[in-house]
Amino acid sequence: MKKKTRTKFVRYLGKQMKEDFSALQIYSRDMSKLPNLTKLLFNSTPDGIILPRNAEDIQRIYNLATETRTPIIPRSGGTTGFGGSIPYNKGLVIDCKGLDRELLIEPIDQTVTTSPSIIFSELQKKLKLQGFSLCSYPSSYYSATVGGWISHGGHGIGSIKYGSVVDQIVEIQVVLPNGEIHSFYEKENISLFFGSNGTLGIITEIKLKIKFDIPLKQFGCTFDSPVELMKGLKELQEVDPFSVWFLNPSQVSAFNDSFGYNLPRSYVAIISKEISYDEEELAFSVNFNNTIRKAGGQILDKRYITDIWDFRFKTFALLKEYPDFLISEVILPIETSAKYLRKLTGLFEGSLRAEGELISNTHYSLLLYLPIKEPISDFKKTLLMLKINKHILKSKKIGGFPYSTGLWFAGYYSQIYGKEMYKHYKNFKKKIDPKNISNPGKVCSPKMRFFPLLKLKFVIRMASELL
Amino acid sequence: MSSSNEWQVDILDAVQQCVYCGYCGICPTFRELKWETYHPRGILDQIKMYFEDTTKEELKGDISKSLFDSIFACTMCKACENICIADIPLLKIWEQVRQESFKRGRWNPALLSLYNKVKNTQNIFGLPKDERVSWADLSNMVMTKRTQRKASLAYFVGCQASYSGKMEGVAASVVKILRKARVDFTILGDEEWCCGSPVFLAGGYSVGKSFAKHNLDQFKKLGVKRIVTACAGCYRAFKIVYPRILGDKWDLEVLHISELVAELLEQKKLKYKKTIKEKITFKDPCELVRHCGLIEPPREIIEMIPGVRYEDLPSNREEALCCGGGGLLKLNDADLVRQVNSRLIEEIEYSEAEIVVNGCPTCLDTIQQGVKKKGLDVEVIDIAELIKRAIGE
Ligand SMILES: Cc1cc2nc3c(=O)[nH]c(=O)nc-3n(C[C@H](O)[C@H](O)[C@H](O)COP(=O)(O)OP(=O)(O)OC[C@H]3O[C@@H](n4cnc5c(N)ncnc54)[C@H](O)[C@@H]3O)c2cc1C
Ligand code: SF4
Ligand code: SF4
């Protein structure tokens, strides 16, 4: 960053800006640690980090950034593994965790107005005290923020019943890259920010729909094959579940190893249902058992169910024994993905672990973990990463797509959200951020740093396909 | 300062296990300071950079500045370790980094002064040894016969209850409870040395060890088999730190006053005589609940009080909020203590409790200040004081 530019920011921000070596390193990574080789593609070390306290601070930051053409990278929990919250090529990371706001719960409307930086577990605790609950939340419940989830384009527990977070937003306040503070109420405009990865500005306030806090009861089943699992996912929608979460056989083995379980090496699904009364539970139980039998599954032994469900926020712990790991995520259609899922599960000598969550009547998300058993070279890790990438991109043939764009999947927005939405996004982006200062390199594929004739998407795709 | 192998963990190995889930972001001081350099996950990153051989020497100065700053902004509340999905022994790591900072001569003057005070006078206030039992005079109690007598139970008073005017009621209450139940007990008197908690927390290992040895010798000399204390810091030191550094030699049973009262009530040696009408809540001290897993005894004995109206705070048991006063943070950043504390005070206000009961002198002091600052009409007392009232003393 030029000295003059730096001085401008420092003069305005003072102690709200950090530039020391440690801070720059910490803010140069997110949940997944990229191999050093990727430094050829990205320079994710920022020039500085800013901790704004309110929308006005952000307004000023954007104005200065536009004036000096400085990339602005919003970051909240830093818990995604898609590179959305790290720089593509330097710039200033805006740490949104300083955006506090008093919580406003409106019981009649069943809404909550909150700061974007609130962590889900904290928000849920406050809602529960008043008898309410979030409609859906990610399994990074203890570390993810509401603003980060919206921008990442998240789905999660509860999405099958209440939709993705975008379906729950009533109003969203954003500081646009042109410095305007704007509130959006219309679904069409709110949708723009879902999966926008901070490219359309910084979310500063959110009004979300909430629901009554109805107790959740868990039920479990197993399916021997992806075909049966898919049949099960379809049938299960009939029982109006709150969440349908499943593990692939190698993730089940990891549970067996860690907990001394003796679960069959098949697909294990845990279904969560809102149930208020004992009689309701009894009736549901019968209905559930019949549904599973119809789909060709077996009922899971009760004693495992609660334990597995209670571990739903902690499954990353199963990776702690390994010196390294890789993660990725894809969204797949129920109708056409059985074969693909079987193939995926067989990759890397069957060591690819997967967890799925039903997110709509037609699709499920699949989180993939590849534990790396021995320390490997940076080069090998990059190859593995590209290999996983290749398979995620292959899902296009059966109607699948990457979970989010971020940096790693920049250029796949239209595949994820559709062409119409992409057009809407592009027009809006051009209007509010003509100089592309808000999180450049994300959502739309950037030009290569050292070879601007090529785009990053092309290079990553080619490298993946060559493997 | 020396170190012991069992005391230490292989820092780089432990750091390696972090899966970067970010759950330790529930850290109460990080929540206030917001920069990820204070996020336990970020502290681990800095530790890695600092200890790794591959880091350039010229960068280590910068790295250590931020690392030591972060490590002393910690209240040692253990919320991070409790939630860590990779079971990383974060507290041990934090202690080791504090030791490293001592070795490099990087403790701040206030911390160093405390360390020297404790080292030279065996109490955290730097006051004369012969004033250790002055709390008894203030409460019109005569402790001469109890001091240094042979008994199987010892009441370890602790520096705060011994010397601090604010805590003077705590020791007197414990003694009244023990007397009422006709329990034979002893106190160490002038020979009671600080349990070493603040020294261990600051990373001072060898001084703390000499304190542990001294106290053990004293207990052995008097034939003590069980120790009771009303101080969460002393309790933690006896339960966790002493066995680590003294090994099998430390074979004494350690009780918090709430555990002993539960036992005495069950044995019918103690009976509640008074009803307490005010609404009561209990703030789980970090050192009792997360460090030592002591959860139910305080609740059980409160709930047995006739006519009691008890309600847990919204964040309770293992998820209890930190008061902000631990980890010697008061000596590093008093403003941060107030900020952290204000979150707890909000919960106390929400609970509509009229009495906040506690089991830790540090919490007691911090909560009292917070309540006063917010202007709440809430009484903040130690659990021993509550029990004393309920037994009609
Ligand atoms: C254990 C674990 C489980 C997970 N489970 C799920 C899951 O079930 N579902 C799921 O969707 N994801 C999941 N994730 C991924 C991730 O945690 C979530 O998507 C999370 O919601 C991201 O929030 P964050 O605050 O960490 O955002 P960050 O990672 O900080 O940011 C995400 C994106 O949003 C942008 N951004 C951040 N804040 C703002 C803001 N205020 N305004 C505008 N843009 C902003 C960033 O630039 C970035 O592009 C999981 C991760 C982990 C570690
Ligand atoms: S012990 Fe408490 S204050 Fe210290 S890092 Fe852990 S959570 Fe934060
Ligand atoms: S909770 Fe544990 S594993 Fe997760 S980021 Fe913190 S230290 Fe790492």
Side-chain angles (χ1 to χ4, degrees), chain A residues 27 97 122 125 143 313 323, chain B residues 16 21 23 31 36 87 315:
Chain A
Y27 283 89
K97 289 188 278 291
E122 202 181 315
K125 189 161 89 185
S143 56
F313 299 136
Chain B
Q16 176 68 36
C21 64
Y23 285 9
R31 286 260 165 121
E36 288 189 27
D87 297 326
S315 306

Side-chain angles (χ1 to χ4, degrees), chain B residues 155-193:
Chain B
Y155 166 40
F156 191 89
V157 186
C159 298
Q160 306 229 42
S162 297
Y163 289 101
S164 167
K166 291 184 199 164
M167 305 293 151
E168 152 260 326
V170 177
S173 302
V174 173
V175 169
K176 282 182 180 161
I177 294 167
L178 297 178
R179 282 187 175 157
K180 187 85 180 172
R182 297 183 181 281
V183 178
D184 186 23
F185 71 99
T186 180
I187 61 168
L188 301 185
D190 298 356
E191 286 304 330
E192 181 182 300
W193 283 15

Side-chain angles (χ1 to χ4, degrees), chain B residues 37-104:
Chain B
T37 43
Y38 297 101
H39 191 310
R41 177 183 74 179
I43 302 179
L44 290 182
D45 278 337
Q46 295 173 74
I47 290 175
K48 200 165 168 207
M49 289 189 263
Y50 178 80
F51 285 99
E52 248 174 11
D53 295 336
T54 46
T55 308
K56 289 186 191 135
E57 271 312 309
E58 60 266 30
L59 284 175
K60 288 210 172 169
D62 261 6
I63 298 170
S64 68
K65 196 164 166 254
S66 164
L67 170 62
F68 296 155
D69 172 46
S70 308
I71 211 72
F72 282 105
C74 160
T75 64
M76 293 280 182
C77 71
K78 214 184 174 196
C80 53
E81 187 173 316
N82 232 44
I83 201 166
C84 175
I85 62 173
D87 297 326
I88 302 175
L90 293 168
L91 271 273
K92 278 191 182 173
I93 298 177
W94 304 159
E95 276 173 20
Q96 273 170 242
V97 177
R98 285 184 177 212
Q99 284 178 24
E100 172 69 13
S101 134
F102 182 86
K103 262 198 259 170
R104 305 273 163 210

Side-chain angles (χ1 to χ4, degrees), chain A residues 356-412:
Chain A
E357 176 81 43
L358 197 56
I359 59 167
S360 69
N361 293 341
T362 51
H363 287 78
Y364 62 96
S365 65
L366 196 70
L367 176 63
L368 302 166
Y369 314 86
L370 181 68
I372 301 176
K373 294 185 179 117
E374 301 289 335
I376 53 168
S377 69
D378 212 53
F379 181 67
K380 261 194 161 162
K381 188 173 169 187
T382 314
L383 290 185
L384 284 177
M385 210 167 146
L386 290 169
K387 203 164 168 187
I388 296 180
N389 227 42
K390 176 171 126 179
H391 289 283
I392 297 229
L393 296 180
K394 264 189 177 173
S395 72
K396 187 179 178 188
K397 284 189 194 147
I398 53 135
F401 43 85
Y403 191 94
S404 178
T405 58
L407 175 56
W408 202 232
F409 289 104
Y412 292 90

